[in-house]
């Protein structure tokens, strides 16, 4: 009986995996975090990505796109299994979708070792911006330290006596704070919270006891929403103002927080009111398709799709010539919604950083407005440690 | 149901198929499944060790995955520190798992029934949180590690790792067979049926249960070390209590108290999981495009069915045997 | 380390403990009276939160959402009991654990199919702000409300158990199941009602905690473990044990998370402290439970006499 069972199992396996023969296809593995307190971020990136695909009728370059989606639920072991399947079973041409460095860093060695291109749509890790840079890794979102310097310099001028830094644990949090501390000259204390944590009573009590002049937070998505609501509920926002990089003040958070963040400042590499044709087209299309203003995450997802499209077109669909695909990717020959966008030698972005303010627009919606460009053509500090092979 | 020659032939065919599995997969271009099969064999080792204390010893341990974790992390730490030979790493993983099992057993075996279940759960959670806090070894994110080496073999090859796992799981099942049929095994089984009677007869029941628990922990430890090498990765979730729950599920699915129960359960469960995620059912996809992400629904339904209607598991369906688990 | 910090964390601990009590009360009654380990109790908690989230967003009223959610979840619980769980009362503990574990998996996926993985539940506007307890400590009005709710429920349960006929039968059933059977009456109806009561309490906790913790699939599992720790410490079948155990666990866990790392940072080099602190804080509850099991295996206030 066991033999019969085993035989049946074998048959099932072999039959369930016959490769599809037919038209030329570009296979994209979309391994993301689509559930849990930070689900909205992954969802936004995907919405931006899907929008571009829809505009091109499901084609990227001259090939039909087949997108295989997996969700790791903020669990690294689930991500490991997903990536294993995408690489070995589905044999994808491109991998993307990673929201948090904490989730995709453990799987990068396997991905890059298999010579598959990984296009990080969101955060970029410092190790891979520096010594571990790889010809197969491209970061389309931002390097973790990109947004902090602009805010740090602003806060320097405010002459705070002491501040508190609050960040979610993981490479993202560590690196965002590193970028901040590199440029902030005053006194500070710091604390790390758990990735995915939602109850901040203990942290709020500690901040209250320390009574700093201001706090700088890195709590993307649902984490930031919960934190701010509880912060306001505890009465601290009147005495201790909050500053942040763009992650917890973007459209997805503002929809839930509404008035709570009015008047606060944040830094980002993109704003929905940026005045360039690609952006205008994107924002209008997004509003029409989804009925809401896009966040910077959606803009990044859109740019990833644009990048793949440009690369596939440049190599004329010949994806097996990896050297050519790499060159095509490096060229970044597309109109980014950010305006200026180039890849640096280490495949991290070179882009401008803006200061944004939360306000109520004419339609009564609480959103961001871009008030100034604070850094022109921001490069990450690790580029010189990268010895990219030719 | 089967007579002796029938059983032997069955076994022979299964073993032959198992040995031919990798070349078969390679021929079809499906190397991916060799890795899946290795995982099944490794979890088979862990489930068999749990079946030993559960099915024959009557101890419902809800923290068995902790020993998987101890074995895995010991292997990871040793490999990270430079010792890459399996001949050193694996025995040490076993030893440490056995030691921790001893400590846990000394405290837990003072309780019975639901309290035993809860306290084994508690200890597993403690170990889980300790692993999460070890930031030097990845903390909650886990740690990538290279595979161990065995002189004369190349474990980087999925196929060779599969054969190593296969040899080990066969050895473990054979070991179980010998232990169960030894005097120790018979006493243990008698204790699980009526401990008071055995105590009245003068047996130091605590000692027997302790030895069984430690033995099971050690075997789970080596399964953990194998898992660490197969994944090239360790992560605290290996020892989360839900992992222990799934191990119990494998044992019950395969057949409590049946020699092959652990292995059968592991194969069917992991096969079911992979199958449910990967099979493309078009009409279902039209209704629910994301249905493959809900594989746990199928797992839950199967588990419920097995528990309610086939408590002797798959092996129980085909043989009169299978033991009833007391308390 | 200030008085304010200690007080604020004590309040946090009390709030968490009282919510644990809501969960523990139901679980301990089911375990004590029907002799069943129910891992799906956490799923009822989760259902309560999701149902409340939907009703709140449809009706705009938080209070309506909580009330209806409790009733609906209690009904769901009773249906589950009558159809499925009843068959498990006579089975061994392992079967109960595995069957209810299977239920957890199934309910998680069903919720995911119906609601998606998360839902939003926000506190009512009237409670969204702070209440100034004294100058230097403004505490969240919503958390204070939860504390009040927990105390009210505790009183209510006490009255129910000590002063009503239903309560008398509950106490009889918890302390000696066979006797309770023999005393007659419609035992299976009692069981169904007990289960419904437990489910309702779990839903109340879920809906109340929803605005603070996230309403998401899997929220039941993490709090379920703590609930089991509570009833083991408090004594299976005892409501009083559940209350004391829950407040104890809530306090130790909450205050431990802030003060253990703080204490460690003072006494040892900071890189060890930052690793060891959270680890110790997480395991202190389990150490407590293991200690109680070792020295007083029946728990602190056992209900059983035979």
């Amino acid at each position: 009986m066991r033999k019969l069972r085993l035989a049946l199992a074998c048959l099932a396996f072999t039959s369930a995996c016959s490769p599809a023969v037919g038209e030329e296809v570009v296979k994209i593995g979309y391994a993301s975090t689509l559930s849990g307190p930070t689900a909205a971020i992954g969802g936004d990136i995907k919405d931006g990505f899907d929008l571009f695909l829809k505009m091109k009728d499901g084609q990227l370059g001259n090939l039909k796109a087949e997108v295989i989606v997996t969700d790791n639920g903020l669990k690294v072991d689930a991500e490991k299994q997903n990536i294993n399947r995408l690489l070995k079973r589905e044999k994808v041409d491109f991998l993307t979708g990673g929201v948090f460095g904490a989730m995709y860093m453990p799987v990068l060695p396997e991905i890059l070792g298999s010579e598959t291109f990984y296009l990080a749509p969101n955060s970029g890790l410092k190790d891979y911006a520096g010594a571990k840079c790889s010809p197969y890794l491209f970061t389309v979102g931002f390097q973790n330290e990109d947004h902090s310097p602009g805010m740090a310099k602003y806060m320097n001028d405010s002459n705070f006596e002491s501040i508190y830094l609050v960040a979610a644990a993981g490479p993202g949090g560590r690196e965002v704070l590193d970028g901040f501390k590199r440029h902030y000259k005053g006194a500070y204390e710091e604390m790390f919270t758990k990735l995915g944590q939602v109850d901040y009573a203990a942290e709020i009590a500690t901040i209250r006891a320390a009574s700093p002049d201001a706090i700088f937070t890195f709590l993307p998505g649902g984490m930031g929403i919960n934190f701010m609501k509880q912060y306001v509920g505890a009465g601290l926002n009147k005495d201790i103002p909050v500053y942040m990089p763009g992650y917890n003040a973007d459209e997805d958070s503002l929809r839930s927080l509404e008035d709570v963040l009015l008047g606060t400042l944040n830094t980002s590499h993109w704003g929905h009111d940026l005045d360039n044709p690609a952006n205008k087209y994107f924002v209008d299309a997004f509003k029409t398709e989804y009925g809401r203003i896009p966040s910077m995450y959606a803009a990044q997802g859109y740019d990833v799709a644009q990048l793949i499209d440009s690369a596939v077109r440049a190599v004329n669909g010949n994806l097996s010539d990896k050297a050519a695909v790499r060159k095509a990717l490096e060229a970044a020959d597309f109109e980014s919604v950010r305006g200026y966008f180039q890849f640096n030698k280490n495949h991290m972005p070179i882009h401008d950083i803006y200061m944004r303010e939360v306000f109520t627009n004419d339609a009564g919606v609480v959103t961001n407005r871009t008030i100034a460009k604070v850094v022109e053509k921001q490069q990450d500090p690790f580029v010189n440690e990268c010895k990219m092979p030719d | 149901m089967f007579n002796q020659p029938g059983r032997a032939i069955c076994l022979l065919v299964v073993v032959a198929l198992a040995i031919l599995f990798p070349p078969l997969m390679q021929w079809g271009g499906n190397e991916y499944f060799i890795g899946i099969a290795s995982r099944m064999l490794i979890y088979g080792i862990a489930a068999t060790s749990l079946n030993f204390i559960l099915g024959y010893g009557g101890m419902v341990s809800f923290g068995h995955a902790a020993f998987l974790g101890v074995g895995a992390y010991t292997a990871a730490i040793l490999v990270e520190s430079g010792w890459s030979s399996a001949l050193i790493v694996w025995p040490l993983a076993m030893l440490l798992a056995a030691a921790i099992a001893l400590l846990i057993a000394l405290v837990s075996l003072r309780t019975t029934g639901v309290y035993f279940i809860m306290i084994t759960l508690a200890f597993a959670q403690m170990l889980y949180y300790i692993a999460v806090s070890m930031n030097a070894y990845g903390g909650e994110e886990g740690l990538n590690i290279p595979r161990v080496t065995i002189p004369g073999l190349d474990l980087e090859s999925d196929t060779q790792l599969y054969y190593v796992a296969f040899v080990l799981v066969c050895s473990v099942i054979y070991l179980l067979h010998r232990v169960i049929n030894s005097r120790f095994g018979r006493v243990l089984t008698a204790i699980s049926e009526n401990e008071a009677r055995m105590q009245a007869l003068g047996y130091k029941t605590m000692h027997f249960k302790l030895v069984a628990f430690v033995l099971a922990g050690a075997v789970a430890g080596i399964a953990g070390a194998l898992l660490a090498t197969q994944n090239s990765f360790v992560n605290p979730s290996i020892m989360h209590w839900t992992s222990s729950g799934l191990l119990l599920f494998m044992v019950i699915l395969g057949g409590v108290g049946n020699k092959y129960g652990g292995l059968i359960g592991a194969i069917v469960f992991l096969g079911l999981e992979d199958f449910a995620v990967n099979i493309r059912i078009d009409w279902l996809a039209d209704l629910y495009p994301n249905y493959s992400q809900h594989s746990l629904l199928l797992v839950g339904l199967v588990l419920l069915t097995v528990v309610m209607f086939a408590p002797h598991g798959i092996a129980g369906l085909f043989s009169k045997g299978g033991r009833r688990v007391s308390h | 380390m200030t008085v304010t910090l200690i007080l604020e964390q004590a309040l946090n601990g009390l709030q968490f403990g009282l919510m644990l009590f809501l969960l523990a009360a139901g679980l301990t009654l089911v375990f004590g009276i029907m002799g069943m380990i129910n891992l799906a109790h956490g799923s009822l908690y989760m259902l309560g939160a999701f149902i409340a989230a939907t009703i709140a967003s449809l009706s705009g009223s938080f209070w309506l959402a909580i009330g209806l959610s409790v009733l609906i979840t209690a009904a769901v619980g009773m249906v589950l009991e009558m159809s499925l769980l009843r068959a498990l009362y006579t089975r061994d503990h392992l079967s109960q654990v595995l069957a209810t574990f299977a239920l957890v998996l199934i309910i998680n996926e069903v919720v995911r199919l119906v609601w998606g993985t998360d839902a939003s539940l926000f506190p009512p506007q009237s409670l969204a702000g702070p209440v100034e307890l004294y100058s230097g400590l403004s505490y969240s009005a919503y958390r204070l409300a939860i504390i009040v709710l927990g105390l009210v429920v505790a009183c209510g349960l006490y009255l129910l158990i000590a002063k009503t006929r239903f309560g008398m039968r509950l106490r009889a059933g918890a302390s000696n199941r066979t006797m309770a059977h023999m005393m007659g009456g419609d035992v299976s109806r009692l069981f169904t009602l007990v289960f419904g009561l437990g489910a309702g309490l779990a839903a109340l906790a879920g809906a109340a905690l929803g605005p603070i913790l996230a309403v998401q699939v899997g929220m039941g599992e993490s709090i379920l473990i703590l609930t089991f720790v509570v009833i083991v410490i408090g004594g299976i079948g005892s409501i009083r044990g559940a209350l004391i155990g829950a407040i104890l666990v809530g306090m130790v866990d909450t205050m431990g998370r802030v003060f253990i790392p703080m204490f460690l940072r003072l006494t040892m080099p900071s890189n060890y402290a930052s690793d060891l602190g959270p680890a110790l804080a997480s395991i202190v509850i389990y150490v407590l439970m293991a200690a109680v099991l070792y020295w007083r295996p029946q728990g602190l206030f056992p209900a059983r006499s035979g």
Side-chain angles (χ1 to χ4, degrees), chain A residues 17 76-77 80 85 89 106, chain B residues 30 32 141 144 233 237 278:
Chain A
C17 61
V76 180
D77 54 317
K80 262 265 168 183
R85 203 163 66 240
R89 192 159 196 263
Chain B
N30 296 319
Y32 168 72
E141 290 143 31
N144 276 312
F233 179 68
S237 67
N278 288 313

Side-chain angles (χ1 to χ4, degrees), chain C residues 9-303:
Chain C
Q9 276 305 91
L11 279 174
N12 288 335
L14 186 61
Q15 174 239 301
F16 187 50
L18 284 169
M19 287 301 102
L20 275 180
F21 165 64
L22 287 183
L23 280 167
L27 196 62
T28 204
L29 280 178
V30 167
F31 201 163
I33 299 178
M34 285 99 95
M36 183 172 83
I37 306 180
N38 179 17
L39 289 184
H41 198 69
S43 303
L44 293 167
Y45 160 83
M46 174 181 73
L47 267 177
F50 271 94
I51 294 177
T54 304
I55 298 180
S57 72
L58 285 176
S59 71
S61 161
F62 182 77
W63 307 108
L64 187 68
I66 277 200
L68 272 186
S69 158
V70 169
L71 291 171
I72 297 177
T73 312
V76 168
M78 291 196 274
V79 166
L80 261 178
E81 194 269 348
M82 290 191 286
S83 60
L84 186 68
L85 297 174
R86 193 163 274 206
L88 290 171
Y89 293 157
T90 50
R91 300 279 299 268
D92 55 288
H93 285 319
L94 175 63
S95 299
Q96 293 175 351
V97 161
L98 288 178
T100 50
F101 182 61
L103 261 184
V104 170
L105 295 178
I106 295 173
I107 297 179
N108 270 349
E109 292 306 315
V110 167
V111 167
R112 205 184 294 231
L113 280 168
V114 172
W115 273 280
T117 52
D118 321 80
S120 298
L121 184 58
F122 298 119
Q125 270 306 103
S126 50
L127 293 173
V131 165
E132 185 164 342
L133 296 178
Y134 59 86
S135 108
L137 180 55
S138 300
Y139 196 65
S140 158
Y142 187 68
R143 289 180 196 265
L144 274 178
I146 291 185
I147 293 179
V148 169
L149 174 69
L151 291 171
V152 164
V153 171
C155 288
L157 270 179
Y158 166 72
L159 288 172
L160 181 72
I161 305 266
K163 308 277 183 202
T164 68
R165 224 183 126 72
F166 178 69
M168 182 191 74
R169 301 191 62 208
L170 276 184
R171 274 180 288 140
S175 72
N176 194 322
R177 209 176 309 140
T178 345
M179 267 319 240
H181 277 244
M182 297 173 90
M183 287 210 295
D186 190 353
V187 177
S188 48
R189 211 159 61 98
L190 178 71
F191 286 1
T192 308
L193 282 174
V194 168
F195 201 86
L197 176 63
L201 287 172
L204 185 59
L209 281 178
I212 299 182
L213 308 178
V215 178
Q216 57 186 3
V217 169
M219 65 193 279
E221 279 83 280
S222 36
I223 211 165
L224 183 73
I225 284 274
L226 279 179
T227 312
F228 270 110
V229 171
V230 166
I231 67 176
V232 166
I233 290 180
I236 293 181
S238 156
I239 295 282
R240 188 186 349 159
L243 183 60
I244 310 274
I247 297 188
L248 185 62
V249 168
M251 287 288 205
V252 169
D253 188 67
T254 309
M255 300 193 76
R257 280 181 199 287
V258 169
F259 295 114
I260 291 181
M262 203 179 273
F263 176 68
L264 285 180
R265 264 198 294 271
L266 294 172
T267 59
M268 59 169 76
S270 73
N271 47 338
Y272 286 125
S274 59
D275 277 1
L276 203 55
L280 274 186
S282 306
I283 75 177
V284 75
I285 284 298
Y286 296 102
V287 172
L288 185 63
M289 175 171 108
V292 169
L293 276 178
Y294 196 76
W295 276 292
R296 239 184 109 93
Q298 306 297 83
L300 295 175
F301 297 94

